[in-house]
Every structure is written in C-alpha cells, then in structure tokens.
Amino acid sequence: MGGMSPSLDDLPLRDDLRGLTPYGAPQAPLPVALNVNENTHPVPEEVADDILDAVARALRDVNRYPDREFTQLRESFAEYLGHGLTPDRIWAANGSNEVLQHLLQAFGGPGRTAMGFGPTYSMYPLLSRATGAQYISGTRGSDFTLDASSAAAQVAEQRPDVVFLCAPNNPTGTPLGLDVIEAVYDATDGIVIVDEAYQEFAPRESPSALTLLGERERLVVSRTMSKAFAFAGARVGYLAADATLIDALRLVRLPYHLSALTQAAATAALSHSTTMLRMVDEIVGQRDRMSATLDALGYRAYESWTNFVLFDGVDDPQATWQALYDRGILVRDVGIAHSLRVSAGTEDETTAFLEALASIDSEA
Ligand SMILES: Cc1ncc(COP(=O)(O)O)c(C=O)c1O
C-alpha cells in the first residue's frame, strides 16, 4: 500500500457524514488559554479534597456497575436547580453535549429536522447530523439578538422537530428573553431545548427558562457543570423537563452511561455549590472589565451574559489571532467577520490578554 493512509472517502462511511468536519477547537499548551469558554479558576482546594474522598469511596465498588438511574446525583441536581423540581424531572450525561445527543436520538434522527438560530453553538448542526437529522439554520437580527415574533415565524415556517435556543447564546453572549421561548414553544409541536450552559453568568435577577417548565411537556432546559462549576474535565451535563420526556431518554442512553466515579465526583461537587459558584462573580467582573477595555481600545464588545466576550472591529481576525498566539494567548476565531471571541480569564490572564491586544494595536 506504499504507506499511504486511506482517506475518509475510501471508507464505507455513512453518506450523510461525508464532507463533515469534526468539532476542532485547537488545544494548544499556551500559558493563557481563553478559547473554549472554560472556567479559568480551578476547583477550590477544600472542595477538591471532598471530591477525592467521594471518588475513592466509589472506587472500592467499581467492580460493580454503577446506579443506572444515578439517583443520588439526580436528587442533588433537583435541589441545586430549585423551582420545585423533583429527581424524576432531571436527566444527566457526560457533558451537556451528550445530553443534547440523547435528546436528538429520541426526538430527531433520520427523516426529521432540528433548527437553531445562527450564529449559535457549533455543535447543534454536528450533533443533529451525526444522529441522522437535517439541520436548519435560522437567522438572528442585527447585533445577534433574537426576537419573539421573528423566532416564532421562522419556526412556524420550517416546522422543525427539535428547536435549539441557546440562552445566553454562544458564541455571541447575547441574552434571550423568556418571551422568545414562550413564542417558539407555541409555534411548534416539536421539542424546544433551551441551552442554559452559561445561565449562572447572567445577571442574578434574570429569570431562567426553568420558570417556564410548568405544564410545558415539550420544553427542556439544559445545563452543564463545565462552566460555572469549573468541571469541564469531569464531563457532566444535565437537564430538567417533564418526567415523561425523561422516560424517552432512557430508550437511547447506553446502559450505565454515567460512571460511578463521575456520579460520585459530581454529587460531591454539588454539595459545595456555594463555594463552587463563588468564582462566578469574580469571572463576571473580569468579563465586564474585558468588555470595557475592548471598547476603550476601539473595538466593540457585544453585550455578554456569559463568561466570554465577542468583539468586532478586528480588521483581520486570523492575523490578530496569530499575533495573540505568538504572545502565548489562545482566543477563538469563530468565523464571524471582523470578530474574535475570548473567555474571561483570571485577573492576571485578563490583563495579559488586554495588554497583548493593546501591544498588537500599537504595532499595527
Ligand atoms: C452553548 C453550549 N452548550 C453546551 C456546551 C457543551 O458543554 P459540555 O458538553 O462541556 O457540558 C457548550 C460548551 O462550550 C456550550 O457553549
């Protein structure tokens, strides 16, 4: 074979996967990594100790399969979310990506459609297609806002089986009003997923879509421990919905999909939610400092209710991305013209980013 490795085209790959590219945010060992909206603060020492104890205890029983229904973890999520939720209305998986995949496996799939409003989270199309559904890209207004009448009209026209509403939106940081969720829900017979991956970074007084769950049996609110809980490496996402909808997800999950170690670690972390969430205010402070300084440098920071900022006014995003990279700082070019996205860092990381950007400007 002359050492030539085959290309994907040579494999009997599913036709509907041909031409797709995998999720691929660069993972580079740079000192200041602000490219994938991680929580830049590590888990506090006293919480880490407790998690370690819990994982050690779980390890003693690791010869047995874990609790398939992750009962204790569900109870912890129900308690954390409040809003009168009970454990039978909670689901969890290895990251909210897997939570979304379960939803698509149950309610999307071949012959069906899923819809999001671009620019939005890049995994929506990928997860939709990989599970066999067609993905429909709806549009947003200027400044990436989405209003109720436009969203409802687009949904009524396209009649998707699954709708993604990212609230607040990645990669733009844009808030989403509850009126949009209500209008979209009323405009469809399909499943409406509100992805609240960044909800903890929104203003305290802003209501979550959890307040809308009530009798809406097709509404799903998805969350993750990756961002506010600084748990990206542990891979834990969850959702709240009607108990019957949760039953549907049992049909598609792999048996024992949440390992005993994951369940133990997440349950222990949730018992320290106040401590775990202490960093959120600090991160919000850095985010707002970032936005203000970006504006002062002559860029335009979009309003953000998340732990990152999208800013425009970048003449050549690829060149600025590279110049920051050369200074040890990793940000994200999300493919929006004249824009880059940057996660809020620790105070030092945020300062390093802002100073590097200012130094690039003064050279240009
Ligand atoms: C909007 C949104 N949803 C879901 C995720 C997935 O998070 P995880 O799979 O780590 O829970 C992300 C991660 O960046 C995100 O931005």
Side-chain angles (χ1 to χ4, degrees):
M1 296 291 283
M4 282 269 286
S5 53
S7 82
L8 279 185
D9 288 338
D10 301 325
L11 289 173
L13 186 67
R14 268 166 47 188
D15 288 338
D16 61 334
L17 293 183
R18 289 187 191 279
L20 296 186
T21 36
Y23 176 86
Q27 285 197 301
L30 292 194
V32 181
L34 302 176
N35 65 325
V36 285
N37 302 338
E38 291 153 337
N39 188 320
T40 41
H41 297 56
V43 173
E45 200 65 43
E46 71 267 28
V47 182
D49 285 344
D50 231 32
I51 295 173
L52 210 55
D53 288 346
V55 170
R57 281 193 300 277
L59 200 57
R60 296 215 178 86
D61 293 322
V62 90
N63 56 312
R64 301 289 182 185
Y65 284 111
D67 173 9
R68 212 167 35 218
E69 299 301 331
F70 44 99
T71 315
Q72 221 190 332
L73 179 57
R74 274 187 155 141
E75 284 166 6
S76 301
F77 278 131
E79 192 181 329
Y80 169 67
L81 288 179
H83 293 84
L85 286 164
T86 43
D88 60 338
R89 302 188 61 189
I90 303 289
W91 186 249
N94 297 283
S96 54
N97 281 329
E98 192 182 53
V99 168
L100 300 177
Q101 186 182 52
H102 285 166
L103 288 163
L104 285 162
Q105 285 175 311
F107 299 106
R112 295 201 170 191
T113 56
M115 179 173 189
F117 298 87
T120 190
Y121 183 42
S122 62
M123 283 304 295
Y124 299 155
L126 215 56
L127 287 165
S128 301
R129 292 182 188 132
T131 49
Q134 238 184 50
Y135 184 78
I136 300 164
S137 206
T139 57
R140 291 169 176 270
S142 58
D143 281 9
F144 307 123
T145 54
L146 184 60
D147 68 60
S149 57
S150 162
Q154 293 182 63
V155 165
E157 191 191 334
Q158 299 289 347
R159 303 170 57 83
D161 298 285
V162 177
V163 183
F164 292 105
L165 292 171
C166 193
N169 188 49
N170 181 14
T172 61
T174 321
L176 185 85
L178 292 190
D179 60 322
V180 185
I181 300 164
E182 292 176 290
V184 165
Y185 188 86
D186 291 340
T188 178
D189 295 328
I191 299 291
V192 177
I193 304 171
V194 184
D195 182 349
E196 290 193 344
Y198 300 97
Q199 174 63 25
E200 284 94 341
F201 300 95
R204 281 277 153 75
E205 66 281 6
S206 69
S208 155
L210 293 170
T211 59
L212 298 180
L213 278 175
E215 301 297 303
R216 292 183 177 86
E217 71 281 358
R218 294 175 287 108
L219 185 63
V220 179
V221 182
S222 146
R223 295 273 187 110
T224 180
M225 292 185 76
S226 294
K227 314 295 177 178
F229 277 86
F231 232 45
R235 312 302 303 124
V236 187
Y238 55 107
L239 64 74
D242 189 75
T244 314
L245 189 146
I246 306 283
D247 273 344
L249 302 179
R250 284 207 185 82
L251 299 171
V252 297
R253 61 103 181 271
L254 295 173
Y256 317 108
H257 69 290
L258 273 179
S259 86
L261 306 185
T262 302
Q263 293 185 39
T267 305
L270 281 164
S271 73
H272 292 277
S273 59
T274 311
T275 312
M276 291 289 277
L277 290 174
R278 221 166 32 208
M279 292 98 75
V280 165
D281 290 339
E282 153 71 9
I283 293 166
V284 164
Q286 295 307 320
R287 174 198 76 200
D288 290 343
R289 174 166 80 104
M290 219 170 214
S291 297
T293 311
L294 284 164
D295 285 341
L297 288 171
Y299 296 97
R300 192 168 74 94
Y302 288 92
E303 180 181 19
S304 170
W305 280 20
T306 62
N307 68 342
F308 59 86
V309 176
L310 180 78
F311 60 102
D312 81 3
V314 187
D315 290 336
D316 182 348
Q318 188 49 38
T320 301
W321 184 91
Q322 187 62 52
L324 287 166
Y325 186 99
D326 295 342
R327 288 163 174 78
I329 294 160
L330 196 54
V331 300
R332 189 82 176 271
D333 179 355
V334 291
I336 298 176
H338 304 298
S339 302
L340 287 170
R341 190 192 72 188
V342 57
S343 313
T346 59
E347 184 171 6
D348 286 351
E349 289 169 333
T350 304
T351 301
F353 159 73
L354 291 168
E355 286 180 352
L357 191 65
S359 80
I360 295 166
D361 289 342
S362 61
E363 275 170 26

